[in-house]
Amino acid sequence: MTDDASLESAAHLVGVPDEFQRLWTPHRMAYIEGGPKPHVDECPFCWAPQQDDESALIVARGTHAYVLLNLFPYNSGHLLVCPYRHIPLYDDATVDEVAEIGALTQKAMRVVRATSNNDGFNIGMNQGAVAGAGIAGHLHQHLVPRWAQDANFFPIIARTKALPQLLGDVRRTLAEAWNAAESH
C-alpha cells in the first residue's frame, strides 16, 4: 500500500483515462493486418499432416481425415476436419472419407464441449471460393464452438475477434482430452 504522495498523475500521459478495460491480444495482429500468406505454393491442408502435430496444430489423426485448429479462428477451439486427399468438394469424397469426417466431427463436438463448456456449435463447409472457402482446393469442415454471450461489438464494428487462449494452449488441451475421450 502506498500513500497518495507516491502516485503519479496520469494527466500528462498519452491518451485520456476512461472506463474501458483493455484486451491485449498481440498474436491477432497477423489476422488484423490481412494474415500471413503461408504455403502460397502448397496447400496448407496437404502440408499440415506432413508436420508434427504441435507445429501443424493437429489435434487428432484418423485413417482418411484429421482434425486441426483453424489458424485464424472465429472462437477459441475453432476446428477444421480435413480429408488427407486433396479434393475440393464434398461430393468428391469417398464413402470412407465422409464417414470418418462425420465421426471425427462428432468426437470433436464431445471433446470441445467437455473442455470448454460451450453452449452450441456452428458446423459447415464452404464449397468453392465464391461460397467463401479460403482454401477452395482442399475440402475442410469448420466446427466453431459458440457461447451464449460470445458476440460483442468487436467483430461487428472493429472486424476484430478477441480470443482468450493462444492456439498452442488450445491444441494441447484438446489433444489431451481427445486421447482421453471415449469413441462412440
Side-chain angles (χ1 to χ4, degrees):
M1 189 159 213
T2 62
D3 60 40
D4 288 340
S6 65
L7 296 178
E8 180 181 355
S9 169
H12 69 281
L13 298 176
V14 175
V16 177
D18 58 29
E19 68 279 0
F20 292 108
Q21 297 278 337
R22 301 301 192 263
L23 300 175
W24 301 110
T25 55
H27 63 282
R28 299 291 294 153
M29 283 307 296
Y31 182 70
I32 293 167
E33 293 173 343
K37 305 296 186 232
H39 322 296
V40 173
D41 297 329
E42 186 176 3
C43 172
F45 300 138
C46 291
W47 172 86
Q50 299 171 31
Q51 311 307 308
D52 67 277
D53 290 356
E54 190 172 342
S55 297
L57 299 173
I58 293 174
V59 172
R61 293 175 186 254
T63 304
H64 304 285
Y66 66 100
V67 181
L68 77 161
L69 285 171
N70 189 324
L71 187 57
F72 301 108
Y74 183 77
N75 277 340
S76 290
H78 180 167
L79 295 172
L80 302 172
V81 182
C82 304
Y84 291 109
R85 268 190 334 127
H86 185 85
I87 55 172
L89 302 171
Y90 189 63
D91 59 346
D92 292 333
T94 66
V95 171
D96 290 337
E97 287 168 330
V98 168
E100 190 165 61
I101 288 168
L104 289 170
T105 299
Q106 287 181 323
K107 187 166 182 180
M109 291 173 68
R110 288 189 289 275
V111 169
V112 169
R113 193 180 300 115
T115 59
S116 70
N117 198 31
N118 60 302
D119 299 310
F121 295 94
N122 290 119
I123 299 174
M125 297 180 187
N126 299 324
Q127 303 285 285
V130 71
I135 310 291
H138 197 126
L139 179 68
H140 57 284
Q141 176 167 264
H142 293 260
L143 183 129
V144 181
R146 299 301 304 264
W147 293 265
Q149 303 299 321
D150 71 2
N152 58 37
F153 74 93
F154 266 21
I156 298 163
I157 305 286
R159 298 196 46 81
T160 301
K161 185 75 178 181
L163 299 167
Q165 293 178 289
L166 295 174
L167 288 172
D169 296 339
V170 175
R171 192 215 69 83
R172 189 172 22 268
T173 299
L174 292 175
E176 289 169 2
W178 193 281
N179 293 331
E182 293 184 31
S183 295
H184 290 210

